[in-house]
Amino acid sequence: MIFSVKVSWAPRSRVLLLTPSTTVLMPLRLCLRHCASNYYACVSSFVSGSISPPLPHTDYRCFGNPRLGNKRIIAETGAGQHGVATATVCAQYGLECIISMGAQDMERQALNVFRMRLLGAEVRGVHSGTATLKDATSEAIRDWVTNVETTHYILGSVAGPHPYPMMVRDFHAVIGKKTSRQAWEKWGGKPDVLVACVGGGSNAMGLFHEFVDDKEVRMIGVEAAGFGLDSGKHAAPLTKGDVGVLHGAMSYLLQDDDGQIIEPQLDYPGVGPEHSFFKDMGWAEYYSVTDEEALEGLYQCIVSVFFIKVKTCSLTRRFVAFNRVSRLEGIISALETSHALAHLEKLCPKLPDGARVVLNFSGRGDKDDQTVAKYLEV
């Protein structure tokens, strides 16, 4: 689903093209919706072009994997969305599905564990190390190299050994291609700035790849600073990490003074090697946003986009603002995307009038419902 929203960032006007990447694999036909005098939103309608009946609403990266004849599929997952997507595909095609997931993550994401098992997947808890995503990835890679003749590994990001960073990037490149095409259709020109959140980096790389050779387009990735870059509790390797090797790839990693990997719980302790290359070459800019800024920034950005008048800062009223993007556009955004939304508060006042900004919605946010509800005390 791709839509654009004409917004007013006082004292100057901005235009945002928001592109939820969970549905852009499908052919897009723009239609006008929510017409009003002070803003407009063009929301795509979509149909499946490759699988009938239409694709289930789930993580799209799995659908790009080729039909290699393997009957056994494995994957790792942290928050569980990638695992649910893999289990969905396997259920459709009658394939054996094994998901590796850290034991701690299984407790935090019990609903997604239930979904994977409901879809017929075997969810294997990983108790080694910190029992989180890094260890789940290590376990999946060990399984893969042991059973390589019968098993296909669906890696969840532009990380890991070659050719996975290239494969996932190329599958995700449809995001940038569709963005470029619709920008020309809607604006008669290309975007000025691209913004996306960066964990492992797949959604950002999918958006950036189409524009790599265009030096006039700024590419901005936003990482999770957690409790702060100096707290030691963050997931910002590009901002605060050091170069190292993990899972067959050299990239920026979170490491201690002895070179041991620091696990940022649900997130990955590294980033895709191509993002690391972009940083070193100066082709893309990378910033970080704390958890508090992400949640507060999400409310502020939604208030700005949809012209909601919030007179108090009560949690209840901010929850109304949080809901607005869901109720108007049918998008429950992942918290990862809220880091990119929060960065707009810093970015937009520095842009010239009429700048065209593309922000990529990295995925759905139902996995974060309990986290947001707890924060808002509702």
Side-chain angles (χ1 to χ4, degrees):
M1 186 180 294
I2 289 182
F3 65 94
S4 63
V5 183
K6 186 175 181 180
V7 306
S8 179
W9 294 88
R12 295 172 293 181
S13 178
R14 304 282 178 254
V15 178
L16 302 179
L17 178 67
L18 308 181
T19 63
S21 59
T22 49
T23 55
V24 295
L25 280 182
M26 306 172 187
L28 302 173
R29 298 189 299 272
L30 290 174
C31 61
L32 192 64
R33 183 181 175 198
H34 302 315
C35 294
S37 60
N38 58 353
Y39 79 100
Y40 65 89
C42 290
V43 183
S44 67
S45 59
F46 50 86
V47 296
S48 170
S50 59
I51 299 176
S52 182
L55 301 177
H57 185 191
T58 185
D59 191 324
Y60 65 96
R61 64 173 62 89
C62 297
F63 299 113
N65 287 280
R67 298 180 182 179
L68 300 178
N70 296 324
K71 300 300 183 181
R72 183 174 183 271
I73 304 298
I74 63 173
E76 87 296 328
T77 192
Q81 295 293 84
H82 179 56
V84 170
T86 303
T88 302
V89 174
C90 291
Q92 285 188 315
Y93 289 98
L95 303 174
E96 181 184 2
C97 181
I98 293 100
I99 306 296
S100 295
M101 190 172 187
Q104 289 193 32
D105 294 342
M106 290 180 68
E107 293 180 8
R108 282 190 288 257
Q109 299 292 332
L111 179 58
N112 277 335
V113 173
F114 171 74
R115 286 172 176 163
M116 288 182 274
R117 289 173 172 163
L118 188 64
L119 290 163
E122 176 187 348
V123 183
R124 294 181 177 176
V126 179
H127 297 272
S128 60
T130 55
T132 48
L133 180 57
K134 171 182 66 69
D135 308 292
T137 303
S138 298
E139 183 63 29
I141 291 176
R142 279 192 288 267
D143 186 317
W144 179 44
V145 298
T146 303
N147 304 286
V148 67
E149 293 183 356
T150 60
T151 299
H152 181 64
Y153 176 28
I154 301 181
L155 202 153
S157 191
V158 287
H162 179 76
Y164 279 106
M166 179 183 69
M167 288 171 60
V168 177
R169 177 203 69 195
D170 289 349
F171 295 146
H172 283 57
V174 66
I175 302 171
K177 294 180 187 296
K178 294 291 186 180
T179 299
S180 177
R181 192 190 76 183
Q182 293 199 18
W184 280 95
E185 290 176 354
K186 291 299 302 176
W187 296 331
K190 58 194 175 187
D192 298 306
V193 185
L194 309 176
V195 183
C197 61
V198 175
S202 56
N203 93 89
M205 188 55 64
L207 177 65
F208 293 171
H209 185 59
E210 179 72 9
F211 302 91
V212 167
D213 295 327
D214 193 333
K215 304 306 179 185
E216 295 180 355
V217 178
R218 288 178 63 188
M219 300 184 294
I220 297 175
V222 185
E223 297 185 298
F227 293 106
L229 294 177
D230 296 326
S231 69
K233 297 180 179 180
H234 62 83
L238 288 167
T239 309
K240 196 71 173 181
D242 300 300
V243 175
V245 176
L246 177 65
H247 296 143
M250 178 179 287
S251 66
Y252 283 91
L253 305 174
L254 300 179
Q255 307 173 67
D256 61 21
D257 294 338
D258 297 320
Q260 298 300 305
I261 298 300
I262 300 172
E263 176 64 46
Q265 297 187 351
L266 287 175
D267 211 333
Y268 190 65
V271 67
E274 198 163 6
H275 280 293
S276 299
F277 178 68
F278 281 12
K279 174 186 175 179
D280 287 348
M281 295 296 293
W283 293 355
E285 307 165 38
Y286 295 95
Y287 304 94
S288 61
V289 165
T290 65
D291 289 351
E292 183 177 358
E293 288 173 329
L295 285 166
E296 297 297 331
L298 179 57
Y299 308 135
Q300 292 168 9
C301 286
I302 293 174
V303 167
S304 298
V305 169
F306 293 102
F307 301 94
I308 304 169
K309 301 298 184 181
V310 181
K311 296 183 179 180
T312 73
C313 293
S314 70
L315 293 173
T316 301
R317 289 186 178 274
R318 284 186 286 162
F319 184 60
V320 172
F322 177 83
N323 268 331
R324 186 66 59 176
V325 71
S326 301
R327 295 185 178 185
L328 286 182
E329 303 301 336
I331 298 170
I332 302 175
S333 169
L335 281 179
E336 288 87 345
T337 300
S338 67
H339 292 78
L341 281 166
H343 185 68
L344 289 180
E345 289 291 301
K346 305 173 184 177
L347 173 67
C348 287
K350 301 177 183 178
L351 297 177
D353 291 342
R356 295 177 287 208
V357 179
V358 174
L359 187 144
N360 197 52
F361 274 55
S362 62
R364 26 187 304 188
D366 49 348
K367 66 180 178 60
D368 300 315
D369 288 349
Q370 293 181 346
T371 301
V372 174
K374 181 179 180 180
Y375 178 83
L376 296 174
E377 298 179 356
V378 297

